[in-house]
């Protein structure tokens, strides 16, 4: 039986009206919320083909969440009703293709984005002792390195925008250079900080800047130069912990989807994938483990030796593993 989320992908503009949510609410501009009785700003953009929406009161979510809130259903009931509305097969609706996450960029758009990225990077500084990135990484429990990766920098002030483009303030940022499969810079990853070197009090602490490429597939944050061996992890902090635990050169892929697509240099013969032990999502999927397995399969087909490592405890990553191995007196936290 096909997964109901896969069946529903790209079809939410038909599913939601069939299950009682008026078509008038399903427009990509601010309007009344069907859940809040029209009293809160709401927008349905369906930008990932998953019934994506955002309300100023109950936040962002997908089509399943919208149905659960609107009808008071649990997920199992919502999924059953979606499957029934679809008739159990993807062919039940004649639909237009799902929207692309990002349209093809023109040369002019690429130049403009590259200019913005270059400017942001040029205004950032390499990590120095006791600066805010240094303190942030210490606050995460990571050790002080003799030499910090050059792809990490501190930008003292960057604007934070919410999903609707509203400016919520300016914060210090840890910037990380994202490079494509050929090693060319294509984007910057931001971690917003407060003045104490902690995570900033914003909804999305970590964000990617708009890429100067038509796709990020194959890209990574290349923290350390690989030799015959290379380790792969998701987050920057997790990757730094892996480096400390193993001594291996490590790349951070930012997310599980990008882990699946990361391209490893030809000279690398052995790849060690350090997967997050994610808890199952509402569909029972475990993104970190699935990404590691998919990547391992592809790399083995390319003739590389591959090993997958994963923490024993569900809901943890290798930063947690590193911290569990460091005695309390050894954990360095910034004053």
């Amino acid at each position: 039986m096909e997964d109901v989320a896969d069946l529903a992908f790209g079809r939410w503009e038909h599913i939601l009206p069939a299950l009682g949510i008026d078509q008038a609410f399903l427009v990509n501009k601010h309007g009344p919320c069907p859940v809040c009785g029209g009293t809160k700003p709401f927008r349905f953009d369906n930008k990932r083909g998953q019934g994506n929406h955002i309300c100023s009161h109950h936040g962002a979510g997908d089509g399943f969440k919208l149905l659960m809130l609107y009808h008071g259903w649990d997920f199992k009931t919502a999924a059953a009703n979606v499957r029934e509305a679809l008739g159990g097969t993807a062919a039940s609706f004649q639909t237009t293709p799902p929207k692309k996450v990002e349209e093809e960029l023109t040369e002019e758009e690429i130049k403009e984005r590259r200019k913005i990225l270059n400017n942001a990077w040029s205004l950032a500084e390499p990590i120095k002792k006791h600066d805010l990135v240094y303190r942030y990484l210490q606050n995460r429990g990571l050790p002080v390195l003799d030499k910090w990766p050059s792809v990490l920098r501190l930008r003292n002030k960057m604007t934070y925008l919410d999903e609707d483009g509203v400016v919520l303030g300016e914060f210090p940022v840890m910037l990380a250079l994202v490079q494509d499969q050929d090693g060319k810079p294509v984007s910057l990853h931001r971690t917003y900080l407060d003045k104490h070197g902690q995570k900033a009090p914003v909804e999305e602490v970590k964000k990617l800047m708009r890429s100067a490429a038509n796709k990020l597939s194959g890209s990574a944050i290349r923290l350390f130069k690989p030799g015959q061996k290379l380790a792969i992890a998701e987050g920057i902090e997790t990757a730094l912990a892996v480096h400390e635990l193993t001594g291996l050169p490590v790349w951070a892929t930012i997310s599980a989807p990008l882990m699946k697509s990361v391209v490893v240099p030809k000279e690398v013969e052995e790849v060690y994938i350090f997967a997050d032990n994610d808890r199952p999502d509402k569909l029972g999927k475990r993104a970190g483990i699935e990404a590691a397995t998919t990547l391992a399969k592809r790399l083995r087909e390319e003739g590389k030796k591959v090993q997958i490592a994963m923490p024993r405890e569900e809901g943890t990553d290798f930063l947690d593993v590193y911290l569990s191995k460091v005695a309390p007196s050894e954990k360095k936290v910034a004053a």
Side-chain angles (χ1 to χ4, degrees):
M1 182 179 289
E2 292 179 84
D3 192 305
V4 66
D6 294 334
L7 292 173
F9 182 76
R11 299 176 171 82
W12 286 100
E13 290 168 332
H14 301 268
I15 296 168
L16 294 171
L19 293 175
I21 297 180
D22 195 292
Q23 187 74 47
F25 293 108
L26 307 179
V27 292
N28 190 13
K29 62 181 181 180
H30 282 111
C33 176
V35 176
C36 302
T39 61
K40 298 291 183 180
F42 173 86
R43 180 162 56 88
F44 177 83
D45 59 20
N46 200 28
K47 65 182 180 181
R48 290 185 288 274
Q50 299 168 334
N52 309 98
H53 64 277
I54 185 166
C55 171
S56 63
H57 176 61
H58 59 74
D62 60 9
F64 292 105
K65 179 179 177 180
L66 189 57
L67 288 170
M68 291 162 67
L69 290 169
Y70 185 78
H71 291 291
W73 291 338
D74 59 16
F75 177 75
K76 185 177 179 180
T77 303
N81 277 278
V82 168
R83 187 177 289 279
E84 184 177 350
L86 285 164
T89 69
S92 297
F93 287 131
Q94 299 298 318
T95 67
T96 54
K99 297 175 183 178
K100 292 181 179 179
V101 174
E102 188 170 2
E103 299 295 331
E104 194 80 6
L105 297 174
T106 65
E107 285 298 319
E108 192 60 35
E109 287 172 326
I110 290 173
K111 287 180 182 177
E112 182 61 27
R113 290 190 182 188
R114 188 177 294 125
K115 180 180 177 181
I116 292 170
L117 291 165
N118 284 335
N119 182 61
W121 189 246
S122 68
L123 292 172
E125 301 176 353
I127 300 174
K128 299 183 181 70
K129 191 172 184 180
H130 300 311
D131 73 14
L132 282 175
V133 171
Y134 176 102
R135 292 168 67 186
Y136 166 70
L137 294 172
Q138 277 197 305
N139 286 332
R140 295 303 308 274
L142 290 163
V144 175
L145 300 182
D146 293 333
K147 184 178 180 181
W148 293 100
S150 61
V151 295
L152 299 180
R153 288 187 179 184
L154 168 66
R155 175 82 182 268
N156 285 309
K157 187 187 295 184
M158 288 191 81
T159 301
Y160 182 90
L161 304 176
D162 69 10
E163 190 169 327
D164 296 316
V166 177
V167 176
L168 298 185
E170 292 184 321
F171 300 90
V173 169
M174 178 173 74
L175 279 182
L177 187 68
V178 182
Q179 295 168 267
D180 69 11
Q181 62 188 55
D182 298 317
K184 296 177 181 177
V186 288
S187 187
L188 293 173
H189 180 272
R190 297 164 291 182
T191 303
Y192 285 88
L193 310 174
D194 68 12
K195 63 182 180 180
H196 304 294
Q198 303 284 357
K199 292 179 180 179
V202 293
E203 185 174 352
E204 288 186 75
V205 172
K206 300 185 179 189
K207 286 188 172 188
L208 271 172
M209 293 184 70
R210 292 194 300 176
S211 169
N214 278 306
K215 61 179 182 178
L216 281 174
S217 177
S219 302
I221 298 169
R222 302 184 173 197
L223 293 165
F224 301 95
K225 185 178 179 180
Q228 290 185 328
K229 298 180 180 181
L230 175 65
I232 302 290
E234 274 190 50
I236 296 169
E237 297 89 333
T238 303
L240 290 171
V242 167
H243 176 70
E244 187 65 19
L245 285 165
T246 66
L248 291 167
V250 190
W251 289 1
T253 64
I254 306 167
S255 68
L258 284 177
M259 176 178 278
K260 292 181 183 180
S261 69
V262 67
V263 175
V264 173
K266 292 181 179 179
E267 61 269 22
V268 174
E269 298 175 2
E270 298 177 33
V271 180
Y272 301 83
I273 304 171
F274 289 82
D276 293 353
N277 189 348
D278 297 327
R279 291 190 174 92
D281 64 16
K282 61 188 178 184
L283 297 176
K285 295 184 177 180
R286 304 173 75 181
I289 299 168
E290 179 188 327
T293 303
T294 301
L295 175 61
K297 182 176 183 295
R298 173 167 58 82
L299 292 177
R300 287 175 181 137
E301 289 171 352
E302 294 173 9
K304 300 188 187 298
K305 296 178 182 178
V306 183
Q307 292 186 39
I308 298 177
M310 186 177 70
R312 292 182 180 179
E313 186 177 346
E314 188 175 271
T316 64
D317 57 30
F318 276 92
L319 176 57
D320 298 309
V321 172
Y322 171 75
L323 294 176
S324 72
K325 292 180 179 295
V326 180
S329 62
E330 294 178 273
K331 293 182 181 178
K332 300 176 181 178
V333 179

